[in-house]
Amino acid sequence: MSNFALLKKKDLMKMNYNIAVLDLNAGQLNEGMRCIKKLVEQFLSQEDINGQYTVFDVRNAIELPDITDYDIFISSGGPGAPFVADEKWEQPFFAFLDAVLEHNAQHQHKKHLFLICHSFQLACLHWDLAKVTKRKSTSFGVMPVHKTKDGLTEPLFEGLMNPFFAVDSRDYQVIKPKYSKLEKFGAKILCKEKIRPHVALERAVMAIRFSKEVFGVQFHPEADSEGMLKYFHREDKKALVIKHHGKKKYQNMLEHLEDEDKIVRTHNTMIPAFLKQAALSLKESKLLPI
């Protein structure tokens, strides 16, 4: 059993957790931020856990956390192309990514970072670990995600089936991983998108463990079924999905959202496991002699 699976409430006593949530949605309302905040609040509301979180508006206000003030970071998805466009927030965001790695290379008290979708794509580009390209068509819906050999032993996937299911919503993809650079970086590819034997296209990379403390995914593990169902039952959203993806796709998506072995399980597993793993690591580092 993994270390964080053994984590008990008493193990977290007397620790104070400062969490930063980086919002890359450029002011657009979305379900992702609601779900991230909900998961963080659930973690902090546990008995004997002390802590607080702060949301940073990265793209509109160019707000980035000082990593010395926080222990755990979750960086959201967001709209638009994940390419450098000389916007004012980009270089501060890339500097933040590098600062996390540099800190962890020099200190025993590590910083823990979870990158989602747009943030994940930007990290892959910035660290030059793979190519990011526009898809031929949008990947949208509840999709199967297949673990790689390394993914089979990934602690954050513990309790998830193979394949497991996640909400996917993207026009871009991480492909053509640069294996020599990944190896030098110490990173491992953990899962890929659904198997499509009838399509002569490379399967996109869906998750990478960049380091022991830094983890990223192409999909949306924060998505919860309640919010997604409410969102897609809105007449305007229903009409939009049917127009672009068809009625059958819409009905299948609703069925998957209600299945406890699909979105519910992923939502309840991955980010909660990340937060627990980070908490245990922080506690252990505090107990180490300086």
Side-chain angles (χ1 to χ4, degrees):
M1 186 176 291
S2 60
N3 285 338
F4 75 82
L6 299 174
L7 189 66
K8 299 183 183 299
K9 291 176 181 178
K10 65 181 179 64
D11 294 323
L12 303 179
M13 290 178 66
K14 299 181 181 179
M15 286 289 293
N16 190 66
Y17 302 97
N18 292 319
I19 301 174
V21 177
L22 283 66
D23 182 355
L24 269 69
N25 288 285
Q28 294 189 17
L29 294 177
N30 66 96
E31 288 293 303
M33 281 301 298
R34 177 190 65 79
C35 293
I36 292 170
K37 290 188 282 188
K38 171 186 168 183
L39 288 166
V40 171
E41 288 166 1
Q42 287 175 345
F43 170 72
L44 293 174
S45 69
Q46 294 178 73
E47 185 180 352
D48 299 323
I49 294 182
N50 298 316
Q52 50 280 318
Y53 76 95
T54 306
V55 177
F56 292 84
D57 183 352
V58 175
R59 293 171 72 171
N60 278 354
I62 318 177
E63 296 176 344
L64 275 301
D66 184 333
I67 69 165
T68 61
D69 295 333
Y70 296 89
D71 308 296
I72 303 171
F73 306 87
I74 299 177
S75 190
S76 79
F83 303 125
V84 177
D86 294 326
E87 295 183 18
K88 292 182 179 180
W89 63 272
E90 292 172 344
Q91 291 309 314
F93 179 74
F94 295 142
F96 160 78
L97 294 179
D98 290 337
V100 171
L101 295 184
E102 290 167 9
H103 173 95
N104 288 346
Q106 299 172 15
H107 298 85
Q108 67 181 26
H109 188 80
K110 308 300 184 183
K111 304 295 180 176
H112 298 262
L113 171 61
F114 196 108
L115 299 157
I116 298 171
C117 198
H118 197 85
S119 296
F120 171 72
Q121 294 167 343
L122 288 170
C124 288
L125 275 176
H126 177 62
W127 291 326
D128 194 29
L129 299 177
K131 287 190 175 181
V132 179
T133 64
K134 187 172 177 60
R135 289 176 55 87
K136 287 187 176 293
S137 61
T138 301
S139 179
F140 178 81
V142 179
M143 301 292 189
V145 182
H146 295 260
K147 300 177 187 179
T148 64
K149 183 179 179 180
D150 287 319
L152 294 174
T153 56
E154 167 54 47
L156 300 195
F157 293 164
E158 193 171 300
L160 296 178
M161 297 178 291
N162 189 25
F164 61 92
F165 288 80
V167 169
D168 200 12
S169 178
R170 58 192 168 89
D171 292 312
Y172 295 86
Q173 60 185 351
V174 174
I175 58 169
K176 301 191 180 304
K178 301 178 181 181
Y179 289 102
S180 60
K181 290 189 175 183
L182 285 163
E183 184 176 0
K184 185 177 180 180
F185 202 88
K188 294 181 178 180
I189 295 172
L190 302 176
C191 56
K192 292 187 175 184
E193 68 181 336
K194 66 181 181 179
I195 298 172
R196 300 171 296 172
H198 59 288
V199 178
L201 294 172
E202 182 178 354
R203 292 165 63 207
V205 173
M206 297 299 280
I208 294 177
R209 178 164 284 287
F210 297 100
S211 70
K212 187 176 179 181
E213 299 82 21
V214 181
F215 188 92
V217 297
Q218 176 70 95
F219 50 90
H220 289 273
E222 77 277 18
D224 66 1
S225 59
E226 180 182 354
M228 295 297 291
L229 283 167
K230 187 181 298 183
Y231 181 78
F232 287 113
H233 273 120
R234 284 172 42 182
E235 287 301 321
D236 59 332
K237 298 302 178 184
K238 176 181 178 180
L240 191 63
V241 173
I242 291 175
K243 177 182 177 181
H244 291 286
H245 304 283
K247 190 171 183 179
K248 184 177 179 181
K249 177 89 167 185
Y250 176 77
Q251 292 296 338
N252 287 341
M253 185 176 64
L254 294 184
E255 291 172 7
H256 289 330
L257 287 171
E258 293 176 318
D259 188 335
E260 292 189 0
D261 283 331
K262 292 186 170 64
I263 296 309
V264 175
R265 185 180 292 258
T266 302
H267 170 81
N268 291 337
T269 298
M270 200 171 298
I271 292 178
F274 164 76
L275 292 169
K276 289 181 181 179
Q277 185 183 57
L280 181 58
S281 173
L282 290 164
K283 178 177 173 59
E284 289 176 343
S285 69
K286 187 178 181 180
L287 296 176
L288 289 172
I290 297 176

